[in-house]
Amino acid sequence: MDSDRAYWVNLLDKIAAPILKNMSKGELRKKMIIAYSPTWDHRASDVAYMEAFGRLLIGIGPFLALPDDVSSATAREETNIRKRMKEQTLASLKHAADPLSPDYLYWGSPTSKQPLVDAAFIAQAFLIAPEALWEPLSAETKMKYIREFTTIRQITPPNNNWVLFAATIESFLLYIGKPFDAARIDQAIAKIQSWYVGDGWYKDGEKFHFDHYNGFVIHPMLIDVMRVNLAKGRLSQADFDLAYKRMRRYASFQERYISPEGTFLVVGRSSTYRVGLFQPLAKLALENALPEGVSLAQVRSALTAVFRRVFVSSTFDRDGWLTLGLVGANQANLADSYSNTGSMYLTSAAFLPLGLPANHAFWADPDADWTQKKAWTGQVFPKDYAVDY
């Protein structure tokens, strides 16, 4: 409904504003207020800026790619927000890769590996919304990104979900027709496939982790990598389809995570990334490919309920930055040793459906109860069984 969409747009704008407003002027390093986890492992503090910007790009790209709409007062208001955000994002992208800019990002070294993660989020955002984020860049700025993405091969990923970060960067280079390292792609795909344990779940390395990394990274990033390689003739349709089916199965669990009250299962690492865990569900909504029996309206209604529980006023500090935690300002203990204020912005990944126009069924259909709301109010709801793919 219009009210839900307006809420999502304004919330995303609120989340993005401190980053884009400052970085577009080359003042992110000057103005960003960074909190570090109480157990901070003292990796290079500069990673915070790339984490904030790279992770934000994942969620805002599809929204920025929408055409202008001036058909109503509400549409004009949204268009004005989008125009401003797009201008700020493109200016920020220029600063991010310019060694002469005060907001030139820290792109890492063989011994400082975190930037591989967030460079990959930038590359993933370019793949998700190239028309909004990549194509408008100048030839000079594009060459700077190509240089950074090539140089970052000096970082060897550990044997876990990080292999997908290397593969995403190389797949972007493949996408734009530049030299790429095929081994970093092929080895990552093979490893993730070998880590599949069944019923839509992958291990994160050699051991299974019961956390939300299948949502934060593994499913969505694997699909984006495989989609490029399929289009370039480097992957079979059967392999892609199987991975996509598995993501749909995993997303069916995600829809069932959401309680009648709009809360969800909080477990495992990186809980402070908040609603970013719902990236597979949000991605499938954007692509009109939700699991069977899960409607667009029930996903919108469920996620809106979650957003309203998570993004209370105290989840932002007085300057508008996201706090360390899940809800409010008193849960910094949840922040992992690798987490800082910038890390929190992976939460933007749940906003992918804003890439659907306002007249799409995701927004236009009436509110609908989601599975757990049906279950706990005595309504008919679908049973659930394990799958064998």
Side-chain angles (χ1 to χ4, degrees):
M1 305 295 284
D2 285 347
S3 58
D4 283 349
R5 184 176 177 88
Y7 169 70
W8 281 46
V9 168
N10 286 305
L11 178 56
L12 182 60
D13 188 27
K14 181 178 182 178
I15 291 169
I19 298 172
L20 298 183
K21 178 182 178 181
N22 290 309
M23 194 168 181
S24 62
K25 296 183 289 186
E27 296 181 348
L28 185 66
R29 289 179 178 270
K30 179 180 178 181
K31 298 290 184 66
M32 184 175 175
I33 300 170
I34 304 172
Y36 295 95
S37 166
T39 58
W40 178 247
D41 61 10
H42 300 292
R43 65 187 62 197
S45 60
D46 277 7
V47 302
Y49 307 108
M50 182 182 275
E51 288 189 46
F53 183 58
R55 296 172 187 220
L56 177 66
L57 287 180
I58 296 296
I60 66 175
F63 175 63
L64 300 185
L66 283 176
D68 293 344
D69 182 358
V70 294
S71 60
S72 68
T74 300
R76 287 193 293 274
E77 181 180 358
E78 178 181 315
T79 290
N80 288 336
I81 291 172
R82 183 165 45 250
K83 280 184 173 180
R84 169 174 48 77
M85 289 179 69
K86 188 172 183 179
E87 289 172 0
Q88 291 175 333
T89 300
L90 292 174
S92 299
L93 281 166
K94 182 178 179 180
H95 285 294
D98 182 1
L100 299 179
S101 169
D103 275 348
Y104 175 57
L105 296 178
Y106 173 60
W107 293 83
S109 71
T111 57
S112 183
K113 298 187 176 186
Q114 179 64 39
L116 175 66
V117 175
D118 299 292
F121 285 131
I122 295 174
Q124 186 183 16
F126 285 154
L127 288 173
I128 291 172
E131 65 275 34
L133 301 177
W134 177 252
E135 293 169 10
L137 298 178
S138 69
E140 180 184 7
T141 297
K142 288 178 180 177
M143 287 304 301
K144 290 175 180 176
Y145 276 100
I146 293 166
R147 180 195 66 207
E148 299 293 358
F149 287 154
T150 301
T151 303
I152 213 164
R153 290 176 187 149
Q154 67 186 313
I155 299 176
T156 301
N159 195 41
N160 56 25
N161 71 85
W162 279 46
V163 299
L164 284 169
F165 300 130
T168 298
I169 292 169
E170 298 302 330
S171 293
F172 174 69
L173 293 172
L174 168 64
Y175 172 78
I176 61 173
K178 298 299 179 182
F180 65 98
D181 187 334
R184 283 167 81 92
I185 298 173
D186 298 341
Q187 290 171 8
I189 293 174
K191 283 186 175 183
I192 299 296
Q193 288 173 325
S194 74
W195 292 337
Y196 185 68
V197 294
D199 211 19
W201 288 81
Y202 293 94
K203 294 187 294 183
D204 189 359
E206 296 303 321
K207 293 185 178 181
F208 179 77
H209 295 241
F210 186 55
D211 58 28
H212 290 301
Y213 267 80
N214 271 260
F216 289 133
V217 174
I218 297 172
H219 277 291
M221 199 165 268
L222 176 64
I223 288 300
D224 287 336
V225 165
M226 294 180 82
R227 180 174 279 136
V228 172
N229 284 269
L230 173 63
K232 297 294 185 178
R234 302 191 69 256
L235 187 82
S236 75
Q237 186 70 53
D239 279 347
F240 177 83
D241 290 346
L242 180 58
Y244 204 83
K245 281 175 66 176
R246 290 170 174 174
M247 183 170 73
R248 294 182 76 216
R249 172 58 179 160
Y250 183 78
S252 73
F253 287 121
Q254 293 200 306
E255 191 274 341
R256 287 175 181 253
Y257 287 159
I258 301 172
S259 78
E261 300 79 23
T263 60
F264 60 86
L265 179 68
V266 180
V267 64
R269 299 169 292 157
S270 301
S271 296
T272 59
Y273 298 172
R274 299 181 170 96
V275 299
L277 70 97
F278 290 107
Q279 187 178 175
L281 188 64
K283 189 177 191 68
L284 290 166
L286 177 65
E287 297 179 4
N288 288 298
L290 287 171
E292 185 177 353
V294 178
S295 73
L296 291 162
Q298 76 187 72
V299 172
R300 184 199 74 236
S301 299
L303 288 178
T304 301
V306 170
F307 290 1
R308 293 188 185 279
R309 293 298 298 257
V310 171
F311 296 108
V312 298
S313 59
S314 56
T315 297
F316 302 86
D317 70 17
R318 64 182 182 181
D319 296 296
W321 299 95
L322 288 171
T323 60
L324 304 185
L326 179 72
V327 178
N330 299 314
Q331 297 175 334
N333 66 293
L334 293 178
D336 299 278
S337 62
Y338 47 79
S339 294
N340 61 73
T341 297
S343 314
M344 305 300 104
Y345 288 87
L346 191 56
T347 201
S348 74
F351 290 80
L352 290 172
L354 279 175
L356 298 168
N359 61 359
H360 190 278
F362 184 89
W363 303 108
D365 283 356
D367 293 345
D369 289 345
W370 51 99
T371 300
Q372 298 300 328
K373 196 167 185 180
K374 291 176 182 177
W376 294 102
T377 54
Q379 300 178 55
V380 174
F381 69 99
K383 292 186 289 184
D384 181 69
Y385 295 100
V387 302
D388 60 0
Y389 50 80

